[in-house]
Amino acid sequence: MKTFTQTYSRAWQLFFAIAVAVLFFSCGSSQSSDDDDSDNSKVASQTPVTVTSVSDSTMIDFIDLNAMSTTLQRNYVKSNANGYIEKANVQPGQNVSKGELLFTVKTKEAKTLGNTINVLDTGFKFSGINQIKASASGYISAVSHQTGDYVQDGEALAIISDRSSFVFLLQLPYELKQYVRMGQGIDLTLPGGNKITGRVKEFLPSVDTVSQTQGVELAVNTGQQIPENLIAKARIIKSAKTNTISLPKSAILANETQTDFWVMKLINPTTAVKVPVKEGITSGDRVEILSPRFSPQDKIVVTGNYGLPDTAKVKIVSQ
């Protein structure tokens, strides 16, 4: 009986020990799980962001306008008699010099009579052939008649464009005239990216009634053969600043009416606060910051900043 009682008592002690161990393990697992959930919730509340810092930049405020190449002075080669063109020594695009022979015209009387007059009077030496020469140097921009055509006195045969009068004609909105002056250099970007410099040669004396733009002649000095009616981009610089504080456009947030602007600045590695800013010149993908005065050590959120509250928990993923 005593042996049975001792065995029964030991069994209950063993069962109790096992129960206590199981309970302790369960409580520990539950606490560990709660701690893990707390840590995961804390990490999830941090918004991943990238940051940048302010930099000194040269900021240029400009506007690009179209400018078209053209020749201002054109000379018309005209027939000096009624007759037929016997020779035409011109082709479109051909360069000619002043006094160069361009056309030969035989009058209709000479065409009709032939050598009859010379046979009757050998001393008369009648040919009826007129030579038409270039009145100015340039290149042939148009030819309206060829060999064999019948032309009348004063009819245009070709057009000589004076290369010295070649300019880019810029249509400048009148409110921007304050930014353009005589002799000023203006950068011109041709299709394809080639850049040349034009200088303000003249302001045309009239303004277009509809668009309120004034023509500005831009003279260019280049050995490149530029065709007429080519449209280039003329850059008008309104203002420029050097060594001014700037930030990327993506770092600056604004309200719906674009009246208030701010950035998210880090006050410690995990907290960003809202800081109102005042913008200046915008150039490319950077914006001048007039106020406040940020230091190079300040970290500004550049991505992941959209929708962040005034004080936000963040996690820097790259810099």
Side-chain angles (χ1 to χ4, degrees):
M1 184 67 178
K2 184 178 180 179
T3 302
F4 174 77
T5 303
Q6 290 176 347
T7 302
Y8 181 76
S9 176
R10 289 176 181 174
W12 270 103
Q13 290 176 358
L14 180 60
F15 176 76
F16 180 76
I18 293 174
V20 170
V22 171
L23 181 62
F24 178 78
F25 178 78
S26 176
C27 291
S29 297
S30 177
Q31 183 178 359
S32 176
S33 177
D34 291 342
D35 291 342
D36 291 342
D37 291 342
S38 177
D39 292 341
N40 291 336
S41 176
K42 183 178 179 180
V43 171
S45 65
Q46 293 179 327
T47 303
V49 298
T50 60
V51 297
T52 188
S53 56
V54 295
S55 62
D56 289 340
S57 307
T58 298
M59 307 295 292
I60 301 176
D61 186 16
F62 63 86
I63 182 173
D64 286 337
L65 300 173
N66 288 336
M68 187 173 65
S69 62
T70 185
T71 303
L72 298 178
Q73 185 174 349
R74 292 178 172 84
N75 297 288
Y76 289 85
V77 180
K78 297 181 179 182
S79 173
N80 54 10
N82 296 332
Y84 297 89
I85 297 177
E86 282 205 333
K87 291 183 180 180
N89 301 323
V90 294
Q91 295 293 333
Q94 175 184 339
N95 290 313
V96 297
S97 301
K98 183 178 181 179
E100 183 177 342
L101 178 63
L102 303 182
F103 294 93
T104 300
V105 176
K106 189 171 186 178
T107 62
K108 64 178 182 179
E109 291 81 8
K111 190 77 171 177
T112 302
L113 297 176
N115 291 326
T116 303
I117 297 179
N118 291 331
V119 172
L120 297 175
D121 186 354
T122 56
F124 192 70
K125 296 181 179 181
F126 173 76
S127 66
I129 296 177
N130 296 328
Q131 294 182 339
I132 301 174
K133 300 180 179 180
S135 58
S137 299
Y139 66 93
I140 303 297
S141 57
V143 177
S144 53
H145 288 285
Q146 295 295 336
T147 302
D149 289 354
Y150 177 78
V151 295
Q152 295 182 353
D153 185 14
E155 187 173 350
L157 307 180
I159 300 175
I160 301 175
S161 295
D162 188 353
R163 178 68 70 176
S164 63
S165 67
F166 180 84
V167 297
F168 275 88
L169 192 59
L170 168 68
Q171 296 300 328
L172 180 70
Y174 194 77
E175 63 269 19
L176 298 179
K177 188 177 180 180
Q178 57 182 313
Y179 303 112
V180 181
R181 63 185 184 278
M182 290 292 295
Q184 176 181 338
I186 294 179
D187 291 335
L188 297 170
T189 302
L190 305 181
N194 189 24
K195 294 185 178 182
I196 59 176
T197 300
R199 296 203 171 272
V200 179
K201 178 180 178 182
E202 196 67 58
F203 289 89
L204 298 186
S206 62
V207 172
D208 184 82
T209 56
V210 177
S211 63
Q212 289 296 288
T213 58
Q214 183 175 13
V216 181
E217 298 175 14
L218 303 178
V220 294
N221 185 14
T222 177
Q224 181 180 357
Q225 292 291 331
I226 301 176
E228 290 190 63
N229 303 321
L230 182 69
I231 297 178
K233 292 292 184 182
R235 176 156 296 183
I236 308 300
I237 296 177
K238 300 170 69 175
S239 61
K241 293 183 180 179
T242 58
N243 299 324
T244 186
I245 297 298
S246 68
L247 282 170
K249 281 184 178 180
S250 57
I252 301 174
L253 303 170
N255 60 359
E256 294 181 355
T257 57
Q258 299 287 308
T259 55
D260 296 327
F261 302 92
W262 66 88
V263 298
M264 299 302 295
K265 173 186 171 183
L266 266 64
I267 57 175
N268 60 52
T270 60
T271 306
V273 297
K274 178 179 177 180
V275 178
V277 296
K278 184 178 180 181
E279 291 186 324
I281 297 173
T282 299
S283 179
D285 63 344
R286 300 194 70 84
V287 180
E288 179 190 15
I289 304 300
L290 299 178
S291 66
R293 187 75 179 179
F294 292 112
S295 69
Q297 290 74 34
D298 290 332
K299 300 301 180 184
I300 309 297
V301 179
V302 67
T303 62
N305 52 358
Y306 183 77
L308 289 179
D310 188 2
T311 302
K313 292 297 181 179
V314 297
K315 179 182 179 182
I316 301 175
V317 293
S318 64
Q319 183 170 330

